[in-house]
Amino acid sequence: MKDIVNYMKIAKITIISVGKIKEAFYQDAVAEYSKRLSAYCKLEIKELPDEKTPEGASEETENLIKEKEGARILKAMDEKACSLALAIEGKKYDSPGFAGYLERLTVSGKSHIQFIIGGSLGLSKTVLDKADGKVSFSDMTFPHQLMRVILLEQIYRGFRINNNEPYHK
């Protein structure tokens, strides 16, 4: 187990997220979990511009917006990294299961994992198809700013679990 823990400490996590976090309380939470994660991995957060969605936009307009945001995401992705898209239709895990998934990825040679969070309309089909996997945190929809905080907390919890350190159950 010690070799796994040491290997996981050199992992790089990148979060590619559409849209800026405007609320100070979300910014504070992101900063706190970023600081905590620095003990376990190299963390990079790439914030990409979002497209403004007109009120009452048609499905065609929404798809066009997702494709524009998707093109930015694809450009920001590292081809060598393992890409995991956050999507409602993705695989659901409990916290120990998610920790185990991260551990299996890392042990199998995936030392760089990038998580992708779409804008308010979600991710384009192009991005979803390009991702190596899809992860869902719930069937519910969350604001993408809050999703970044939830994701960081679960990654942090995963490292704590994998290092046999106490975590809140």
Side-chain angles (χ1 to χ4, degrees):
M1 184 68 175
K2 187 172 172 67
D3 290 337
I4 293 170
V5 171
N6 289 338
Y7 188 65
M8 289 188 70
K9 285 191 177 188
I10 63 167
K12 179 176 180 184
I13 303 283
T14 301
I15 296 176
I16 300 170
S17 184
V18 174
K20 288 194 175 289
I21 292 187
K22 298 171 186 89
E23 293 85 358
F25 54 90
Y26 288 144
Q27 291 171 352
D28 291 345
V30 167
E32 178 61 27
Y33 283 109
S34 296
K35 184 176 99 180
R36 291 181 187 190
L37 279 166
S38 69
Y40 300 99
C41 67
K42 294 177 190 172
L43 177 67
E44 179 182 16
I45 298 175
K46 295 180 180 181
E47 266 188 1
L48 306 177
D50 58 349
E51 293 289 320
K52 301 300 174 220
T53 305
E55 195 69 33
S58 67
E59 186 177 336
E60 182 181 336
T61 299
E62 287 185 357
N63 286 334
L64 182 62
I65 289 169
K66 287 194 289 188
E67 286 302 323
K68 284 182 181 179
E69 291 174 347
R72 289 187 196 115
I73 291 168
L74 293 171
K75 192 173 179 181
M77 289 171 63
D78 180 343
E79 291 289 322
K80 296 176 188 149
C82 176
S83 301
L84 302 175
L86 272 58
I88 287 176
E89 65 273 15
K91 180 159 174 46
K92 291 179 186 68
Y93 298 92
D94 60 12
S95 293
F98 184 65
Y101 179 55
L102 291 177
E103 183 176 58
R104 286 188 302 280
L105 286 173
T106 305
V107 170
S108 71
K110 309 290 187 200
S111 62
H112 183 190
I113 302 167
Q114 57 191 358
F115 291 92
I116 303 161
I117 302 172
S120 60
L121 298 175
L123 292 167
S124 69
K125 181 176 179 345
T126 309
V127 171
L128 291 170
D129 290 345
K130 178 87 172 165
D132 297 310
K134 297 175 194 74
V135 176
S136 175
F137 283 85
S138 174
D139 288 333
M140 293 185 263
T141 302
F142 296 105
H144 55 281
Q145 297 95 339
L146 177 58
M147 197 61 239
R148 195 178 315 176
V149 175
I150 293 169
L151 173 62
L152 286 167
E153 190 280 334
Q154 285 299 305
I155 294 169
Y156 172 69
R157 184 180 297 264
F159 277 107
R160 302 273 304 176
I161 291 168
N162 289 334
N163 281 291
N164 295 314
E165 297 171 1
Y167 68 97
H168 188 325
K169 294 183 181 184

